[in-house]
Amino acid sequence: MFTREDLDALANLKTPSPVLSVYLCTNPAEGPADTHKLHLRSMLEGIDLTEDVRAVEDYFDHQYDWKSFRSAVVFSCQEEDFFQAIPLSLEVTNRTKTGLFPYIVPLTDLLDSHTGNGIVLIDQQRARYFVFHLGNLLAEEVFEGEQIQRQKHGGGSQTVGNWRGDEGSGEQIDTIANRNMRTAADRADDFFSKNDIRRVFLGGTEKNISAFRQLLSRSWQSLIVGTFQVDLNIPDQEIQLLISEMVQEESNKRKEVLLETVITETAKGRHGLLRVDDILGAVREGRVQNLLIGEDYHQHGFQCTSCDYLTAQKLESCPFCGAEFEEIDDLGALAVRKVLTTGGRVEVLSDSKELSERGGMGALLRY
């Protein structure tokens, strides 16, 4: 299981030899394995890292489980005896990149959006609890409450949970349902606490969801980001697909709000930055809380050979240590690595015209 600790390790990895980074979508719905292998060969064509190309192709030819996963991320530096493959149940955009460090920008975004997602499916008697990590089912529990006996007497059908046969039977059903939901909410508190949940999704009927969410502790109520109507018997795989779509939608909205915050804070001269060199200066000082970067952001720049200071300007010597600069081909990727190593968060925005018009990067500062 790929974790934030694994990402941090990649962010801190720098090699004297080039690293080949490969992102390959292998979704069976988009074609058989041979089709994806053709795409891979096309992506690797022209890359002058013979041993790394061979190692990547060998992985997909002989080790990758084509039936179980929908994509894979691979990093290879054979000269330094380094190879890491990360199979995923989520889709990625096909791309390759070479450099003196692994290209982790897309992986950072996946890990941020698709981890720590807790789901509860609820009705008046049962509850199903799930945690998904990068599209994989990480934990699952089931609660079976007290059985609700509904015996219909008399005429036409009535609202579920409110059969009115013998006097008092409706009240008894409501009492049992409430007791079941309270226990289910207590179980949810325990389940979420032991699984490091960051977002909560609730599924069921509108009525049951409304009743259940009021029984959750306030801390978990504040993490509810989505609700959906669904039958409790839905297969796990369908839940995963549904939640992945909801997570992506929620993530896009959250990033739009964060970008507006950065723009506002920048205009007021407070805790926002939009100029590249201002952002890079804050990155060096460890002041960046959230770095916003366009998915396809690329800019050449310069890095100090001694203290690793980054700048988009060509300077004769580093203003901090006096050492020389070396030219680099991707300022954004290096900024992402540095933000992660100082405990900040990185938000990757896709097709954001608003961010592109402002230079392609933004930052919200800690202070």
Side-chain angles (χ1 to χ4, degrees), residues 107-123:
L107 192 57
T108 301
D109 188 51
L110 281 176
L111 194 63
D112 181 65
S113 299
H114 294 276
T115 59
N117 296 315
I119 301 97
V120 181
L121 308 186
I122 185 73
D123 66 16

Side-chain angles (χ1 to χ4, degrees), residues 141-156:
E141 291 184 10
V142 177
F143 163 69
E144 292 283 352
E146 186 178 348
Q147 188 171 4
I148 298 176
Q149 297 287 348
R150 293 183 174 89
Q151 293 185 353
K152 179 181 173 184
H153 295 273

